[in-house]
Amino acid sequence: MSERQAKSLFDRSILVPATIDSFRKLDPRVQIRNPVMFVVQIGALITTVAWLIQVFGGKPLGGGNEPSWFTFSVAAWLWLTLVFANLAEALAEGRGRAQAAALRAMRTETTAHLKDGSEKPASELERGDIVVVEAGELVPGDGTVIEGIASVDESAITGESAPVIREAGGDRSAVTGGTRVLSDRIVVEITQEPGKSFLDRMIALVEGAARRKTPNEIALGSCSPL
């Protein structure tokens, strides 16, 4: 499998759908799930109506004397705040989907070389399979080193750039699917069940992750019937 670079938030494949989603999220039925921004949306709507009243010859709401351009600028800032907040959320969701897709591709594209000389996709490995991993190859699944010693790059999983040593026996024998062997050769016994690897759990976490709410959102949300 070729090396994959983390996608930038401003990658076209993420930015364009996120921009479209940021406007779709203006639907009040969607916005009400975020009480803070829903209040901002109500304020933007009221201010927009107030500006339109002034444009068509009416007086400012509340009996003030502010000019129409001032009301328009307030409405514009409120709408921009709302759109950019939605955009930030949509960008985070888009990058999460891209990361999940990259992890899923890592799982499905890796080919396992079994000790008996046969091959099979990493997604089809079962507990007890014995695989051989040479330098430069990806570890096809979670398992335990039963033979050999090697330097392993776990940055794709842990984010730690420094390689680690994995060897048979002791407490440094566990390896994770998706990591890369940098040197030597190891024989690994697969310990995972199909669909229950560390990569599978990571994919599930990324796809199911939701933005954590602020204390104010939690407090306002508790007052909402939804």
Side-chain angles (χ1 to χ4, degrees), residues 14 23 74 96 123 126 157 199 211 218:
I14 295 178
F23 286 96
V74 172
S123 58
E126 298 179 354
I157 303 298
L199 275 178
R211 182 181 64 86
I218 293 172

Side-chain angles (χ1 to χ4, degrees), residues 1-211:
M1 185 193 72
S2 60
E3 294 285 348
R4 287 180 170 79
Q5 301 293 329
K7 284 191 174 183
S8 166
L9 283 177
F10 301 104
D11 186 279
R12 183 180 177 84
S13 63
I14 295 178
L15 183 59
V16 173
T19 302
I20 296 172
D21 285 344
S22 69
F23 286 96
R24 288 176 178 169
K25 288 176 180 289
L26 292 176
D27 185 338
R29 293 170 297 182
V30 176
Q31 206 65 58
I32 198 171
R33 299 172 188 170
N34 186 338
V36 171
M37 299 315 299
F38 183 62
V39 171
V40 174
Q41 184 176 41
I42 293 174
L45 287 170
I46 293 174
T47 310
T48 301
V49 170
W51 172 68
L52 290 174
I53 290 174
Q54 288 181 271
V55 167
F56 289 101
K59 294 184 178 180
L61 294 181
N65 297 314
E66 62 271 11
S68 60
W69 64 263
F70 177 80
T71 307
F72 172 78
S73 63
V74 172
W77 277 113
L78 289 174
W79 283 115
L80 285 174
T81 299
L82 195 62
V83 169
F84 277 106
N86 289 341
L87 179 62
E89 186 173 13
L91 282 171
E93 292 171 353
R95 189 169 188 182
R97 287 191 293 268
Q99 290 173 336
L103 289 169
R104 192 179 295 108
M106 180 185 295
R107 178 190 61 192
T108 55
E109 292 178 11
T110 305
T111 300
H113 304 282
L114 276 68
K115 193 174 183 179
D116 61 11
S118 60
E119 296 181 349
K120 67 164 64 173
S123 58
E124 297 179 7
L125 287 173
E126 298 179 354
R127 181 189 293 270
D129 285 342
I130 307 297
V131 299
V132 178
V133 190
E134 304 278 354
E137 295 180 347
L138 290 175
V139 178
D142 302 347
T144 302
V145 178
I146 59 175
E147 180 183 323
I149 179 173
S151 176
V152 180
D153 176 11
E154 297 184 341
S155 60
I157 303 298
T158 66
E160 176 58 52
S161 59
V164 297
I165 299 298
R166 293 289 180 250
E167 59 183 341
D171 58 356
R172 295 189 297 177
S173 60
V175 289
T176 305
T179 57
R180 185 179 297 277
V181 174
L182 300 179
S183 65
D184 304 299
R185 168 185 180 274
I186 53 176
V187 179
V188 178
E189 179 181 357
I190 300 299
T191 58
Q192 70 182 49
E193 296 290 348
K196 296 182 180 180
S197 68
F198 183 76
L199 275 178
D200 290 312
R201 295 196 297 272
M202 284 187 65
I203 292 170
L205 286 172
V206 169
E207 290 180 333
R211 182 181 64 86

